[in-house]
Amino acid sequence: MAMQCSLPWDEISDFDASATTIEFSDASTVVASPSIEPPSADSGLPVNKPTCVRLNMEDLKCFDVVERQFQQWGLTFRNAIALHPSNPAFPPRSGTTVLMGAPKNGLIEISFQYPVRFVSGFVTSSQRTILSAYDQQNQLLARAELTEPNLAGTDSKIPPNTQLSVAVPNIYRITFYAFDGCLTIDDLSFGL
């Protein structure tokens, strides 16, 4: 199965959520777990730096506040909790665990220790949702948008777990913002 990680960086600065899912199959991908350290050259073995990291949220405990669990992979979260959705309107894309914006509804922020070139996540939201990417000086670099809610079991033209992606050099921070609605994210990945 192809992971969601290898994107022609020069071709996309905004992603149209109505487009088909991007498959990132040509990248060196690792699955990042909160309990596993990334490979390093300190082991004495040759280490290929991955071009894509996909977060394994299944290792998070339900209702954990997610902040520094993936810090060893170079990212920290703000305003996120791990959740096993009980509301069928917010189905997970894979596994049972998603991230939800909380305690402030509709907002998840991720900061990167080093610049990344793309960020992708599968979003289900009760409101229009915007993914924004910022550089180190907090200048907006790129945006992607779900133009309407996409809850399961509704008449939305956008299916639940729709991929939102931004791809541009020097991303240091991203926000998913759903205008005080409820928001879940699954299968989050980023590229170096």
Side-chain angles (χ1 to χ4, degrees), residues 13-55:
S13 62
D14 258 332
F15 177 74
D16 176 6
S18 63
T20 59
T21 299
I22 297 173
E23 288 296 327
F24 303 100
S25 58
D26 297 329
S28 168
T29 301
V30 298
V31 177
S33 177
S35 60
I36 298 174
E37 290 291 321
S40 72
D42 296 342
S43 66
L45 301 172
V47 174
N48 289 334
K49 186 175 179 182
T51 55
C52 178
V53 177
R54 185 174 57 87
L55 302 186

Side-chain angles (χ1 to χ4, degrees), residues 48 55 78 103 108 142 164:
N48 289 334
L55 302 186
R78 195 178 66 122
I108 294 177
L164 280 183

Side-chain angles (χ1 to χ4, degrees), residues 1-7 9 21-32 50-56 93-94 118 120-122 163 165 187-191:
M1 178 172 127
M3 296 294 179
Q4 61 179 47
C5 284
S6 168
L7 187 61
W9 313 124
T21 299
I22 297 173
E23 288 296 327
F24 303 100
S25 58
D26 297 329
S28 168
T29 301
V30 298
V31 177
T51 55
C52 178
V53 177
R54 185 174 57 87
L55 302 186
N56 177 9
R93 179 172 185 264
S94 64
F118 82 88
S120 175
F122 290 83
Q163 185 181 37
S165 299
D187 293 342
L188 187 67
S189 61
F190 62 95

Side-chain angles (χ1 to χ4, degrees), residues 104-107 126-127 177-182:
K104 179 176 174 31
N105 275 348
L107 173 68
S126 66
Q127 296 290 332
Y177 184 60
F179 300 91
D180 295 327
C182 292

Side-chain angles (χ1 to χ4, degrees), residues 31-158:
V31 177
S33 177
S35 60
I36 298 174
E37 290 291 321
S40 72
D42 296 342
S43 66
L45 301 172
V47 174
N48 289 334
K49 186 175 179 182
T51 55
C52 178
V53 177
R54 185 174 57 87
L55 302 186
N56 177 9
M57 291 185 260
E58 298 307 307
D59 287 346
L60 298 170
K61 292 184 177 106
C62 191
F63 300 113
D64 269 358
V65 173
V66 180
E67 292 177 335
R68 301 187 185 288
Q69 288 90 331
F70 294 97
Q71 188 172 13
Q72 72 271 27
W73 295 93
L75 66 159
T76 56
F77 288 83
R78 195 178 66 122
N79 198 60
I81 63 168
L83 186 67
H84 298 173
S86 60
N87 184 338
F90 293 91
R93 179 172 185 264
S94 64
T96 59
T97 307
V98 297
L99 295 180
M100 181 177 189
K104 179 176 174 31
N105 275 348
L107 173 68
I108 294 177
E109 180 178 308
I110 304 170
S111 297
F112 298 93
Q113 182 178 1
Y114 304 104
V116 300
R117 298 180 64 103
F118 82 88
V119 179
S120 175
F122 290 83
V123 174
T124 303
S125 177
S126 66
Q127 296 290 332
R128 171 180 161 239
T129 301
I130 296 176
L131 166 60
S132 300
Y134 301 90
D135 66 12
Q136 198 167 22
Q137 289 76 40
N138 210 29
Q139 298 295 312
L140 180 66
L141 298 173
R143 241 184 203 151
E145 179 176 351
L146 289 179
T147 57
E148 64 182 70
N150 66 332
L151 300 177
T154 65
D155 59 358
S156 175
K157 295 176 219 137
I158 303 172

